[in-house]
Amino acid sequence: MMRFLARHRRIINVIVIIAFIAGFVYFTIKTRDIKIGTYDSKTYSGIAFNTAIKKTIFMNDVDRRDQIDAEIDKTLREIDEKLSYRNEDSEVAFFNRNYATGGIYNFDPEIISYLKKEMEICKETDGAFCPCILPLTRLWGIEDGNNKVPSDKDIKDRLARIDYKEMEVTDEGLTLNAGNMAIDFGASGKGIAADKVYKVLSDNDVPGAIISIGGTILTYGSKGADDIWRVGIQDPRGATGDAIGAIEVGGGTFISTSGDYEKFFEVDGKRYHHILDPKTGYPADNGLISVTIATDNGLTSDAMSTACFVMGLEDGMRYAESKGADAVFVTSDKKIHLSKGLKKRFIIKAKDYEIAK
Ligand code: ADP
Ligand code: MG
């Protein structure tokens, strides 16, 4: 045996060195996320914001990956509790209880920063995105499932209470001036949550992830060798998960879709859905059935998709393009309208839709 070892010492040395190097490389790739092919990935599912959450995290270190998933869940829970007007302990609920008819309330600076951004989008869209629409959505019973078509008189009464010009946001706080007003984050909360998740991913040096929070999707980093993310767009008249096509975007993109198919009821063959036109008080009825906006901020993409759905194809597309956002507008005649920059990055899948000229 000793003689065998002595005679083959060089070969044995080489084998030991090779094994050592292989072990080192394997360990490094596994724990340091070196870009070779695609990172190992895992998909986690859950519920927050009253909606389905799906997280696919690309990361070779499986233990850290599970920890990051848990941290994202915690972040989502916290921001949901903070922004929900239904959570009696939230500042938003406190504000709606005590400041509905006037007085300035000094919100937490984080909420003030969201409100400021919302007011900006609200003004730019001439109120199509309306942060104080809650009295009207309550009348329609859209949030509690108590659906009914309200009377014209009731709608008129509510219109006076959802006038954004009566809403004032400064560093000192928020004031509502028209009496019996209220705020909520229904059309922007999931986008804000996506912004928060972005921060968790970057603070933890996660290589890549795709996270969907209801109608808002965040792409982050890369899957490995491939830096492009192909994000499917829901077929507004198909089953959940059916896509009309996909857009190609880079990491760090927030993609939000607003459609007439998410929450709706029908009376006499007419569809009444959850995106309301603050000018008429009725569900937006302009031929659009879905709007997708892709941009570099979650609050913006979420609020913009709602605003553009209300504004209609022409004004909405003009607004999206002026903001440098990618946009996909789908009309009831099953035509897909793309913003200028997106034409080369859209892949159509559904046979019954066509891309508008
Ligand atoms: P989803 O919640 O299905 O992702 P949106 O982001 O478009 O869709 O938000 C729709 C929600 O926003 C509605 O359920 C309602 O609470 C609220 N909302 C409806 N119309 C408007 C509007 N014009 N401006 C702001 N919020 C609105
Ligand atoms: Mg929205």
Side-chain angles (χ1 to χ4, degrees), residues 25 30 142-143 157 181 295 328 348:
V25 169
K30 208 171 151 49
I142 282 159
E143 292 304 315
D157 285 348
M181 295 175 76
T295 187
V328 182
I348 188 160

Side-chain angles (χ1 to χ4, degrees), residues 283-296:
D285 186 12
N286 52 29
L288 288 174
I289 56 176
S290 93
V291 170
T292 298
I293 297 290
T295 187
D296 60 1

